[in-house]
Amino acid sequence: LIELKELYMDNNIIEFIDIDSFIGLAKLDSINLAYNKLKLFEFYALKYLVNLKFFTIGINSIKKLNKITFSNNNLTNSLDKF
């Protein structure tokens, strides 16, 4: 899994993303979490994903994401929320 670049976890019943959910997946450049039941997304869950370019999280129950969530990558301008 350490070579994994794309992760599609859309259309599941995921309710939260823990701080260590993506540890060991440093090469990830795309994550799709759309159409889940996400209510909680830990601030530092994306901390080690420095190559992350695409992050889809639309159609969930998250009201707000803190900017610190994206502090180690360049997603603040390319966040797909819908």
Side-chain angles (χ1 to χ4, degrees):
L1 287 178
I2 60 172
E3 298 295 322
L4 189 67
K5 291 189 177 194
E6 296 179 356
L7 182 60
Y8 297 93
M9 299 188 318
D10 52 317
N11 291 303
N12 286 288
I13 308 173
I14 300 168
E15 293 184 7
F16 67 94
I17 297 296
D18 196 58
I19 195 167
D20 61 353
S21 294
F22 303 113
I23 287 180
L25 302 175
K27 293 191 178 185
L28 270 182
D29 68 11
S30 179
I31 298 175
N32 186 339
L33 290 166
Y35 296 96
N36 277 293
K37 296 185 182 271
L38 283 172
K39 296 176 186 171
L40 177 63
F41 196 98
E42 289 287 339
F43 291 161
Y44 294 107
L46 304 177
K47 182 177 182 177
Y48 300 107
L49 302 181
V50 295
N51 295 311
L52 196 60
K53 296 176 187 154
F54 303 100
F55 182 68
T56 306
I57 197 166
I59 317 300
N60 276 289
S61 298
I62 295 176
K63 303 284 187 224
K64 182 176 158 182
L65 286 173
N66 192 309
K67 282 187 177 184
I68 200 167
T69 304
F70 310 105
S71 62
N72 284 351
N73 48 54
N74 296 317
L75 281 176
T76 52
N77 294 323
S78 63
L79 182 62
D80 180 5
K81 298 184 267 191
F82 306 102

